[in-house]
Amino acid sequence: MELKEELAGVPGMLRPFKAYLKEAGLAPGDQVAYYGCPGTCTPFIELLGFAVRDLALEQVYVPYVDEAAAKVIRPIEGVGMQVSGDAVHLDPKVIVLMGGLAMPGVPVTKESVQAVVGTHPGARVMGICFMHMFEKAGWLDTFAFEMVIDATLDPVRVWR
């Protein structure tokens, strides 16, 4: 992989993500499945989902790699996109791996993530992480990412 562009802020994450999905040749109703850590990855997944809400895609959240616990991501009036309680059958055309899965102390391994990704042959795989997490965890050589969005939250300023 080679660096294609360097952007800033939240739009710097959302715009290339939306562009990627628009260019992926997806049909209306095709499924995008986000795999991530409950709590920490979920708000970012909902933000990404909000950015592509106008695309005619089914969006699904998978906690860790527990596909039996997959839930539909739905628009909620006056709130945004939210993980619902609605179970769903998985048939992803795009798999989005969140960098939280690669963090130390998370109860999955890259091998277990790789095994689940391998059950969806033909699905495109992309990753979204912060602070070079995929690189630090050695995931860039493990997964055939078509695209990685790696955002940096630095510095974080706190004012009182």
Side-chain angles (χ1 to χ4, degrees), residues 35-53:
Y35 292 71
C37 298
T40 54
C41 293
T42 312
F44 295 105
I45 290 167
E46 291 172 343
L47 179 62
L48 292 161
F50 187 76
V52 299
R53 68 193 179 282

Side-chain angles (χ1 to χ4, degrees), residues 76-114:
I76 305 296
E77 183 71 32
V79 175
M81 298 299 280
Q82 298 280 289
V83 174
S84 73
D86 302 332
V88 65
H89 170 75
L90 277 172
D91 183 23
K93 301 298 183 239
V94 175
I95 292 173
V96 181
L97 298 180
M98 301 300 291
L101 296 172
M103 291 179 59
V106 172
V108 296
T109 63
K110 67 181 171 183
E111 292 79 15
S112 64
V113 176
Q114 192 175 30

Side-chain angles (χ1 to χ4, degrees), residues 22-74:
K22 286 173 108 175
E23 295 164 6
L26 302 172
D30 278 352
Q31 193 177 79
V32 176
Y34 304 84
Y35 292 71
C37 298
T40 54
C41 293
T42 312
F44 295 105
I45 290 167
E46 291 172 343
L47 179 62
L48 292 161
F50 187 76
V52 299
R53 68 193 179 282
D54 61 331
L55 303 181
L57 301 171
E58 181 179 44
Q59 299 185 70
V60 176
Y61 167 63
V62 179
Y64 299 120
V65 291
D66 184 3
E67 292 186 333
K71 305 290 184 205
V72 174
I73 301 169
R74 298 200 185 284

